[in-house]
Amino acid sequence: MIAVRGYDGRRVAVLGLGRSGLSAARALRAGGAEAVCWDDNPAAREAAESEGFQCLDLAQPGAFDGVTSLILSPGIPHLYPAPNRVVRAAWEAGVPVDNDIGLFFRSLGAAGWDSFDMAPRVVAVTGSNGKSTTAALIHHVLAEAGRAVELAGNIGRGVLDIDPPGDGGVVVLELSSYQTDLARALTPDVAVFTNLSPDHLDRHGGMGGYFAAKRRLFAEGGPDRCIIGVDEDEGRYLANQLAEGVGDDRVIAVSVERKLTGPGWHVFARKGFLSEYRKGRQVGSIDLRAIAGLPGAHNHQNACCAYAVCRTLGLAPREIEQGFQSFGGLPHRSQIVGEKDGVRFVNDSKATNVDSAAKALKAFENVRWICGGLEKEGGLEGLLEATGSVVKAYVIGREAAGFAVQLQGVEAEVCGDMARAVRRAVEEVQPGEVILLAPAAASFDQYDSFEKRGDDFMAEVAKYL
């Protein structure tokens, strides 16, 4: 655990007692603070009380008397579509609002590293798609190379749950826009921006607010090195804003759409080959085509970002390639569930928006596509250009019929639930085809999470394997 610094003897409120909230309360207590907690879920309050935390409804009058700060869990709105009532109460009381990410950076920076030969480094990864795989891949490659490394944030453990990094240690964080938007301290050594596509727009008041939340990771903390995906205008803008001039190698540009040239530091992938260029000359390359854990152009972008980070941290191209070869991928992200009679079954339940589903479709040929769920803002029009590989779509979700109508030019069957969708796809599939779950929608109309949806898909597939 990383004990929170700077709050010794102070009273701090914690709203939301899920993984990050409860770990924040523990870390505050370890640092000498008094944590006062609240969650609307009685079971969550009971769990906190069993650990000795006081639970107090923070929306009640006087709840913020004597409180120094409010620590907010990422799932709770702090501005859009409307501020939570407790956030409003904190504003009225003049109490600063922060989150566990802000506490982490403030506390980590207060650690005494004078006796270390090499100070710990923090790598923070954000973006719309691919940040989990990128963060996990960085962690895997560093671990395979013998580096002391921990993975936390929006993946794995809460940031305050990890052990304080030791001499030369690395902490890899996946950070969502919810986390970067609110944190009062953001000071990574290396920051990664994978890409940007419409998502969570209700929480950020539109695309401008969404991008601004991501941009804070770079603008607020001034990382020593920035790895920026430049295949969208936002990434190109961000790279331009961060560079001090032509050839500034503190900014590493990443692309999977074009060869990057010029005097700077570039990492790009074309036709399955990753290339690293510095000062106009190639200095490294990796053939990504046979790496089973990184299928498709979207994973090649993840590989480019991870490669750039690991090069920044001193690894040689050969070490990175060895780590790539042994990477098994993440559950629910282009996860190959199995193969039988020439048919592959792939679980990409994490493809919850149009852009991520399009990338999943482009990674495979001859696809029997299981899709549908709670549709996000913007419709499905942006997905249609990626459906050339689709043999047939099998649509699930409560609004399956309306979803299917939007799949213009694609043969679609309304199935409703996962069991029927998998059964019908298996009945019609031919050798050489892929049965792919890539919903292009949230899961909450039928499942508690995208993980539960992916688990259901794998359970149904298991009946046929």
Side-chain angles (χ1 to χ4, degrees):
M1 177 187 296
I2 293 178
V4 172
R5 305 299 180 190
Y7 292 88
D8 187 14
R10 300 184 183 184
R11 185 176 172 89
V12 181
V14 178
L15 179 62
L17 296 171
R19 183 190 63 173
S20 65
L22 197 53
S23 68
R26 295 180 187 123
L28 283 160
R29 183 165 61 185
E34 177 191 0
V36 180
C37 306
W38 184 255
D39 193 298
D40 290 338
N41 184 346
R45 296 199 300 271
E46 184 178 346
E49 288 171 340
S50 71
E51 295 190 28
F53 292 109
Q54 177 190 2
C55 287
L56 174 68
D57 187 349
L58 297 170
Q60 296 301 311
F64 281 98
D65 291 349
V67 169
T68 299
S69 295
L70 170 64
I71 306 305
L72 194 65
S73 291
I76 300 173
H78 60 272
L79 186 56
Y80 301 114
N84 181 276
R85 59 180 184 152
V86 174
V87 173
R88 287 190 183 277
W91 291 349
E92 293 299 321
V95 172
V97 182
D98 202 351
N99 62 14
D100 62 328
I101 305 302
L103 295 180
F104 167 83
F105 279 111
R106 177 178 294 186
S107 302
L108 193 74
W113 296 335
D114 293 344
S115 62
F116 289 3
D117 291 330
M118 184 183 298
R121 310 286 295 280
V122 178
V123 178
V125 181
T126 196
S128 295
N129 301 307
K131 56 186 179 292
S132 295
T133 298
T134 299
L137 183 56
I138 295 166
H139 175 267
H140 175 81
V141 172
L142 291 172
E144 289 293 295
R147 299 286 291 271
V149 59
E150 298 180 88
L151 179 65
N154 202 44
I155 184 174
R157 303 164 69 185
V159 293
L160 295 168
D161 268 341
I162 65 173
D163 297 325
D167 196 337
V170 179
V171 178
V172 182
L173 303 180
E174 180 203 338
L175 299 181
S176 72
S177 57
Y178 297 174
Q179 294 168 312
T180 58
D181 196 22
L182 189 60
R184 297 173 73 90
L186 284 169
T187 54
D189 299 283
V190 183
V192 180
F193 176 85
T194 59
N195 52 59
L196 196 79
S197 61
D199 207 357
H200 309 305
L201 301 188
D202 58 330
R203 275 292 299 267
H204 298 291
M207 277 295 288
Y210 180 46
F211 176 54
K214 301 287 189 185
R215 184 178 178 273
R216 287 193 76 243
L217 182 63
F218 304 85
E220 298 290 326
D224 296 333
R225 183 150 279 139
C226 303
I227 289 88
I228 310 293
V230 295
D231 288 336
E232 295 91 25
D233 284 342
E234 290 87 354
R236 287 187 279 272
Y237 166 82
L238 184 58
N240 181 267
Q241 286 275 298
L242 295 169
E244 291 295 332
V246 176
D248 185 352
D249 68 0
R250 293 173 303 173
V251 177
I252 305 176
V254 167
S255 177
V256 289
E257 293 185 354
R258 58 198 170 96
K259 179 179 179 179
L260 298 176
T261 59
W265 193 348
H266 310 294
V267 180
F268 59 89
R270 297 183 69 199
K271 299 181 179 180
F273 287 88
L274 179 153
S275 297
E276 176 191 5
Y277 275 69
R278 298 189 71 172
K279 299 179 180 179
R281 299 182 61 183
Q282 185 172 359
V283 296
S285 65
I286 297 175
D287 183 353
L288 301 173
R289 295 173 300 174
I291 299 177
L294 297 168
H298 60 306
N299 275 310
H300 293 174
Q301 183 184 57
N302 301 334
C304 287
C305 291
Y307 178 95
V309 169
C310 292
R311 290 289 280 149
T312 288
L313 296 177
L315 268 62
R318 181 170 295 181
E319 290 180 288
I320 301 171
E321 182 174 8
Q322 289 173 346
F324 283 2
Q325 293 287 354
S326 59
F327 181 66
L330 289 180
H332 314 295
R333 298 162 176 87
S334 295
Q335 177 187 9
I336 298 175
V337 177
E339 187 171 346
K340 183 178 180 181
D341 299 330
V343 176
R344 279 185 294 169
F345 296 82
V346 180
N347 168 24
D348 205 333
S349 184
K350 185 62 171 65
T352 59
N353 59 40
V354 165
D355 185 65
S356 56
K359 290 176 177 176
L361 290 173
K362 290 177 180 179
F364 303 98
E365 297 179 354
N366 303 317
V367 175
R368 301 277 173 175
W369 178 30
I370 298 176
C371 57
L374 188 61
E375 190 177 334
K376 295 188 175 181
E377 292 183 27
L380 304 178
E381 184 176 351
L383 184 60
L384 299 182
E385 56 86 22
T387 58
S389 63
V390 175
V391 178
K392 183 177 177 179
Y394 305 82
V395 188
I396 63 173
R398 293 180 183 173
E399 304 296 330
F403 196 99
V405 167
Q406 298 183 65
L407 300 179
Q408 300 174 12
V410 177
E411 181 183 356
E413 178 177 336
V414 175
C415 295
D417 59 47
M418 188 69 72
R420 177 174 173 79
V422 172
R423 184 175 72 250
R424 290 290 298 133
V426 169
E427 288 172 351
E428 298 184 342
V429 73
Q430 299 296 316
E433 295 180 345
V434 174
I435 295 179
L436 169 68
L437 171 65
S443 60
F444 303 120
D445 58 336
Q446 292 182 311
Y447 301 95
D448 291 338
S449 65
F450 73 83
E451 292 96 340
K452 293 291 186 183
R453 177 172 57 193
D455 289 342
D456 191 18
F457 172 74
M458 291 191 292
E460 293 299 326
V461 168
K463 299 175 182 179
Y464 301 98
L465 291 178

